[in-house]
Every structure is written in structure tokens, then in C-alpha cells.
Amino acid sequence: MNQLPAVSEGSGMEKPMKIYNTLTKRKEEFVPIEPGKVRMYVCGPTVYNLIHIGNARPMIVFDTARRYLEYKGYEVNYVSNFTDVDDKIINKAIEEGVSAEEISSRYIAECKKDMEGMNVRPATTHPQATKEIPGMISMIEDLMEKGYAYNVNGTVYFRTRKFKEYGKLSHKNLDDLRSGFRAIRVTGEEQKEDPLDFVLWKPKKEGEPYWDAPWSQGRPGWHIECSVMSKHYLGKAIDIHAGGEDLVFPHHENEIAQSECCNGCEFARYWMHNAFLNIDNRKMSKSLGNFFTVREIGEKYDLNVLRFFMLSAHYRSPLNFSEEIMEASKNSLERMITAMDRLNSAISGAKTQELTEDEKKKLEDMKQYRGKFEAAMDDDINTADAIAAVFELVRFANTEVTEGASKDFAEAVRKEMLELTDILGLIVERKAEILDEEIEQKIAERQAARKAKDFAKADAIRDELLAKGIVLMDTREGVKWKKA
Ligand code: AMP
Ligand code: ZN
């Protein structure tokens, strides 16, 4: 039994948070193994190309879960790996005539750039499989000693029948699976004791990267990598293990088998899986021609819009990507940004400093939006409802922070907006790069033209800026502009 964490008064941890656990198929109250601390592992991408927008979904949703856990006061040790040894990487290396290492290090660097664009914080540790090989050999040796693994001609398999709980995560009927696997015989796999047995170590093929091991010169299987990296950086038992729903079987099922048989304790308490991202209601695939990298989307949209789009649905619901939905996301995010612009001008233009009695009451009233935000996030990270709560706050800001507002009032509302949007990782301050000198200079030229009563020139400048997506607004405080 886990102990309830000892929490200090006023801490967000007091309020229970629920997480849907794939293992139990229920929403469960989140109780970490060690009070106040969370050990979390998220399966990362295989680095053989630029990441696609499907890969971006787990990155964004679990980064948001991490931010919310931290907001609640937990210290989160967040580990997310890069799978840097794999057939796809080797094939790409052969194609380009370079080493596998060159391919993986190139795409790790590119992935980190995309993560930064999406405001996904770097993990506490980003381990790489190729740097953890000794740990993998030692876990496989341990499994062999305990009778959970066997070697056939240099290939080591896990003996699934020996692990009585095999199948507990995916809730699959193992006998059906076995007969299915028997039907599709894969050459070279006849040597397995059971169709469900999986590879822990495989011998090298000509030209492949390899490491020396007691069974053969070769490389580890994919599943053992995550079991070992998770143990190395987080210990034998962790709180949350996460990834896309395609990983439930066999990847995560096999990780559980390896880790629990080797370590003799429960591997992870909560298993979180995001649903898939589809494009125009179809599975994203290169052959269907509906495949987008994060980089391609970044050429058209600020990646903050992609983040908003990902969080606008619950992470366990399938999400459909389309041009129209991206446009709608862009407009919604712009409403938040415009509200922030207004708050910033209210702060700089405020004529009084201190809160009035009425404003104090309004700030009390404003707390309801944070309450709704927290209730949504406590309910299995419901970012869709959390965003709805932020929009209620936007409406409050737009109607209540009027011209006569005190500086303290406008600042308090601004702070509230910033704190809640930061938990979602959304950047709502208009980015400085948009305020480029050219726009400011054009606005000054237009003002000069108006002063000289050259309205044709003033209008031409306005149209020129509009063509560049910049909308000018003449207000009492002067000319303001926004992106179309
Ligand atoms: P991979 O590089 O294929 O191992 O995938 C890395 C992560 O992206 C895993 O957690 C996958 O489950 C996830 N993933 C891949 N494709 C999609 C998709 N279309 N929608 C959501 N998640 C995905
Ligand atoms: Zn993994």
C-alpha cells in the first residue's frame, strides 16, 4: 500500500489529482511512491528523420502533465529517451553513406530545435540507447540467471510464459495472440519457445553497428532499452510511464515483463497513453501523402499554434489535424494574445496605482477561473476544459479591465493569465520579433503622411502592411497593430 503524501498546507498536492491508468482501465487518484516527488518516463522518438506531428503529440501532452505536476508542488524527474539504434536509422545511414551515429546525432539536434519551437521543456535527462549498452547486457544476464531468458544461436529471447502477469497492461487474450502469431511465421523465429517470446539481444548483420556481449556481437532489442534507461535514471519503481497508445502492446507490455522479472517489484504505477493524431480523418502516412513534419508546420504557423491545437482536445481522444482546425486554433490563440496586449496597454496607461474596493471584489471573483482550470487538470489532465477556463478569464479581462482600471488590478489579471497559460506551455505575450523595426517605421511614415494630409499615401501604407498580415488599428492611445 502506498502512503498518502505528507503535504504542507496550501500546497496544490492537497487536492487529489486523477490519472487514467491503462493498467487498471480506470481513473485513479495519483499518489506518488515518494511523497512530493514524481518519477516519470516518456518513450521518445526513433531518430532517423525530422519528427512528424504525430510524434509531437506525446511530447506536448506529457510536457503539459509535467508542468501541471510541478505547479502542484511536485519535484518531477522527467526522463525521455532517444532511440538511436534501430533498423530505420541503419537503413538511412546506408542510403546516405554515413554512420548510424551521424544520422542519430543529426536528428536528435533537429528534434531538440522542434521541441524548443513547441515550448516543450528539455527532460531532466534525455538518455540515448547506444550510451547504455552495458546496463542492457547486465539486465539480460540477470534475466538469464533467473530463468526468464534463453539464448538460441546468439539471439536472446524473453520467456513470456514464465511471467504469469504477461498481458496485464494490454488486456489482450494471449491465446488468441499466440495463434495469430503462429499463423504469420517470421523466418528465423521458429527457434522461439513461444510465439510471444520477444528479442532481448540480436546478433549483428553485415555492416550494422554492434557491441560485444556474452551471446554474440550484436545489439539490444528495442524494449530492453527503455527498461534499462528508466531503471538507470529513475530507479526500479517509477510513478508514471507514458507514450502513444501504439506502444501499449508489445512495447510497454514487454518493458513490464523485463523490468518486473529482473527487479522483483512493480515497474510503473500509472501508465498513460495518448491517442493518435490523424490527418483529415485518415491515418497519417507517407504513402497517403498526408504526412507532415513539425518543421513543415513551423513554416506556416508559429509552433505555439500547433501546441494550442494539440491541447484543445483531451489527450486520450483521437485528434484530427486539418488546415481549418489549425486556422481556428490560430484565431483562438490570437484572442488570448490580444487580451494580453490589452492588459499590457492598460498597465502602461493606468492613471491610478492601487486597487479600488470594487476591484478587490472582482479579483476574488476571478479566482473561480483558476478553480475551474485546476479542476479540469486534476481530472486526468483535461486540457480542453482547462483552455475553456482560460477563455473565461480572457472574457473577464476584456470586460473588467477597462480604461479607468488601476495598475494593480490590470497587473493582477495579467499575472493570472500568464500563470495559467504557462502551465499549458502557451506563450501569450506577443513575440518581440513581430514588433520589427520595419512595421514601426511604416507606422511612423503613415502618421507623417496623415499629418501632411496625404491620405492616399497613408492608406497605401496601411494596405501594404495588411498585405504582410499586419492590421493597423487607430485607437485613442495611438496606432496599434496586430497580426491578421
Ligand atoms: P516512434 O518514433 O514511432 O517510436 O514514436 C515516438 C512517439 O510518438 C511514440 O510515443 C508514439 O506512440 C508517438 N506517435 C507516433 N505516431 C503518432 C501519431 N500519429 N499520433 C500520436 N502519437 C504518435
Ligand atoms: Zn520505450
Side-chain angles (χ1 to χ4, degrees):
M1 277 294 283
N2 279 283
Q3 299 248 302
L4 277 172
V7 287
S8 59
E9 222 185 311
S11 151
M13 285 179 236
E14 272 171 11
K15 275 194 238 152
M17 174 181 172
K18 286 196 167 164
I19 287 181
Y20 180 88
N21 191 353
T22 310
L23 198 58
T24 55
K25 290 172 131 177
R26 282 192 287 115
K27 276 188 203 169
E28 290 175 15
E29 194 170 309
F30 177 70
V31 183
I33 297 164
E34 197 180 332
K37 297 200 172 161
V38 179
R39 291 168 227 175
M40 183 164 179
Y41 187 96
V42 182
C43 290
T46 307
V47 278
Y48 65 100
N49 214 331
L50 291 173
I51 57 162
H52 58 67
I53 54 175
N55 300 139
R57 192 170 189 193
M59 285 179 184
I60 291 171
V61 300
F62 298 121
D63 173 67
T64 306
R66 171 199 194 178
R67 285 168 184 261
Y68 187 62
L69 286 161
E70 287 181 352
Y71 164 75
K72 283 178 89 69
Y74 292 106
E75 193 185 301
V76 184
N77 190 347
Y78 188 94
V79 176
S80 189
N81 68 295
F82 287 115
T83 297
D84 63 349
V85 56
D86 174 270
D87 287 345
K88 294 192 201 98
I89 301 174
I90 296 168
N91 290 341
K92 178 97 170 184
I94 295 168
E95 217 176 279
E96 287 194 20
V98 297
S99 68
E101 209 258 320
E102 189 171 330
I103 296 291
S104 58
S105 52
R106 182 198 305 159
Y107 290 112
I108 287 172
E110 296 298 345
C111 178
K112 287 184 175 169
K113 281 189 214 158
D114 287 336
M115 284 169 64
E116 198 184 330
M118 298 185 293
N119 205 20
V120 169
R121 286 170 44 205
T124 316
T125 313
H126 280 291
Q128 282 171 241
T130 55
K131 302 201 170 130
E132 309 281 336
I133 305 288
M136 296 175 202
I137 293 175
S138 122
M139 190 180 267
I140 299 169
E141 278 178 327
D142 199 358
L143 287 168
M144 288 194 86
E145 264 165 42
K146 293 183 169 124
Y148 288 106
Y150 57 96
N151 172 10
V152 190
N153 303 325
T155 302
V156 183
Y157 294 98
F158 185 90
R159 186 172 276 131
T160 45
R161 273 197 199 274
K162 195 166 155 76
F163 180 47
K164 295 289 167 258
E165 293 175 73
Y166 191 73
K168 67 178 172 180
L169 181 72
S170 50
H171 311 280
K172 284 186 186 289
N173 180 324
L174 298 186
D175 290 329
D176 286 353
L177 270 179
R178 278 196 177 96
S179 44
F181 275 35
R182 253 182 227 112
I184 30 163
R185 277 205 176 279
V186 179
T187 352
E189 299 239 306
E190 305 81 19
Q191 54 192 14
K192 294 200 291 191
E193 289 176 5
D194 183 285
L196 289 183
D197 291 355
F198 56 90
V199 170
L200 298 171
W201 186 267
K202 57 182 153 195
K204 67 170 180 192
K205 288 198 207 106
E206 194 52 40
E208 287 184 353
Y210 67 89
W211 290 264
D212 287 324
W215 321 285
S216 58
Q217 287 185 323
R219 60 186 162 110
W222 170 38
H223 317 300
I224 195 79
E225 297 174 6
C226 287
S227 280
V228 168
M229 291 186 273
S230 177
K231 184 178 178 181
H232 184 168
Y233 296 97
L234 299 170
K236 289 179 182 175
I238 70 169
D239 298 297
I240 301 173
H241 195 116
E245 66 183 5
D246 58 322
L247 301 186
V248 174
F249 188 86
H251 186 52
H252 288 163
E253 195 72 73
N254 292 352
E255 280 189 46
I256 291 178
Q258 297 160 155
S259 296
E260 300 196 353
C261 293
C262 173
N263 303 328
C265 61
E266 189 181 34
F267 176 38
R269 284 222 55 202
Y270 304 88
W271 288 84
M272 295 175 80
H273 294 100
N274 65 271
F276 254 44
L277 175 91
N278 296 315
I279 301 200
D280 295 323
N281 293 311
R282 293 204 296 181
K283 192 178 185 318
M284 177 164 65
S285 90
K286 278 195 174 147
S287 56
L288 287 174
N290 62 353
F291 178 95
F292 294 109
T293 62
V294 169
R295 202 56 61 85
E296 283 166 327
I297 300 304
E299 282 164 13
K300 223 167 157 196
Y301 296 95
D302 186 323
L303 289 178
N304 211 19
V305 175
L306 185 67
R307 182 166 185 125
F308 182 96
F309 156 75
M310 296 281 184
L311 298 179
S312 61
H314 188 270
Y315 74 92
R316 285 189 292 112
S317 307
L319 181 57
N320 188 45
F321 179 94
S322 72
E323 188 83 28
E324 297 88 83
I325 302 172
M326 278 300 278
E327 282 301 318
S329 300
K330 184 180 163 194
N331 293 337
S332 299
L333 184 63
E334 183 59 31
R335 268 169 61 210
M336 289 186 185
I337 297 174
T338 309
M340 277 301 286
D341 286 345
R342 284 189 74 254
L343 289 170
N344 284 327
S345 353
I347 292 165
S348 55
K351 300 197 177 58
T352 58
Q353 177 75 42
E354 278 171 36
L355 291 173
T356 63
E357 284 311 309
D358 186 43
E359 286 176 341
K360 280 183 194 162
K361 280 200 207 105
K362 282 181 178 158
L363 287 186
E364 270 306 305
D365 190 37
M366 184 180 76
K367 286 184 183 161
Q368 62 175 301
Y369 309 119
R370 185 180 287 256
K372 287 183 186 176
F373 181 95
E374 289 177 354
M377 294 295 276
D378 282 337
D379 183 17
D380 191 29
I381 316 286
N382 190 337
T383 53
D385 285 359
I387 286 180
V390 174
F391 275 117
E392 287 192 41
L393 176 62
V394 165
R395 272 192 290 280
F396 170 88
N398 289 345
T399 50
E400 303 298 345
V401 185
T402 48
E403 220 165 294
S406 73
K407 194 171 181 181
D408 285 357
F409 183 59
E411 271 177 351
V413 179
R414 176 178 183 272
K415 187 162 171 269
E416 194 73 356
M417 276 279 291
L418 283 178
E419 278 183 23
L420 298 190
T421 49
D422 186 55
I423 296 167
L424 300 173
L426 296 173
I427 299 166
V428 290
E429 288 277 23
R430 199 172 289 286
K431 288 186 180 165
E433 65 194 12
I434 308 170
L435 276 167
D436 68 45
E437 283 165 16
E438 197 193 332
I439 300 171
E440 298 294 353
Q441 200 191 323
K442 290 279 172 200
I443 291 174
E445 268 177 51
R446 177 168 169 265
Q447 291 301 82
R450 284 170 127 199
K451 222 172 169 183
K453 304 228 181 303
D454 186 353
F455 295 113
K457 186 174 175 189
D459 286 347
I461 293 172
R462 169 192 281 270
D463 292 344
E464 191 192 333
L465 283 173
L466 188 62
K468 289 182 180 159
I470 305 298
V471 182
L472 298 187
M473 295 166 298
D474 294 308
T475 74
R476 254 181 276 164
E477 294 90 2
V479 182
K480 298 209 169 142
W481 62 270
K482 67 172 187 180
K483 269 195 127 185

